[in-house]
Every structure is written in structure tokens, then in C-alpha cells.
Amino acid sequence: MAASVLQQNSNTVTSANQANSTFTSNVTAGSLLVAIISTSNSGVTVSTVKDTHLNIWAKANSVSNGAGATHLEMWYAANAIVGNTIVSANVTPNGTISIIVLEATGIEITS
């Protein structure tokens, strides 16, 4: 099966420690969920990513664009549980947070 993105959504909040993004349709069982989180500066980092179905999230990678600049992290949850899903990213300390979530199929996670 070819890899494909089934759906995506995003949200941005300011002066907060949490940003949420809701998939517009029910997530398909077994799909891959990805969250890309951008924070306002390198001092604001993602502490956890979770969702309403308690899928297990893992950090794939992170990068900062220099001291005091944008910080970006990518997280994923393999073999998603079916249903209406809200993904939450928690950061420390408070800052401007943007979260992009996507659901994909046809991608196999290996270590």
C-alpha cells in the first residue's frame, strides 16, 4: 500500500502551556498519527504529547534555530485507536505554540 495522508489539522495558541488540535473525522484504527509542534523560542520545549484515546506517543526528533529562536519537535503514535481524536501538546514554560496533526496510512514504523 502506498503512503498517504488521510487528514490533517492545526492550531496556534499564545501565552499557554498547552495546544490542542482535533482531527475533523474519526481516526482509522491502525493508522499513524503525527504531531509537529513549533514553539516561540528554543527555551520552550514539549514535555508531553497525548490524545483522547491514550495512544502511546514518542518523540521522533527536535531542532532549534539558534538561541532564543523557534523550537520544533515531531512526535508520533503508531497503530492508532479508532475514534474522534484530540491531540494535546504540553510545553514548559508557557509560550506561543503551534501544533499540526496528521493521520497517515501505508507507513511502517521500525526501530
Side-chain angles (χ1 to χ4, degrees), residues 12-88:
T12 299
V13 296
T14 58
S15 299
N17 67 354
Q18 182 179 46
N20 302 316
S21 189
T22 304
F23 286 105
T24 55
S25 300
N26 282 349
V27 166
T28 305
S31 62
L32 173 69
L33 304 182
V34 177
I36 301 167
I37 302 105
S38 172
T39 62
S40 54
N41 67 60
S42 60
V44 179
T45 59
V46 180
S47 55
T48 60
V49 174
K50 55 188 174 182
D51 66 48
T52 50
H53 295 287
L54 303 178
N55 287 297
I56 299 170
W57 288 84
K59 182 164 68 169
N61 206 350
S62 65
V63 64
S64 292
N65 190 16
T70 301
H71 180 76
L72 184 69
E73 294 192 15
M74 179 182 285
W75 291 63
Y76 69 92
N79 298 315
I81 297 170
V82 68
N84 183 15
T85 304
I86 301 168
V87 179
S88 302

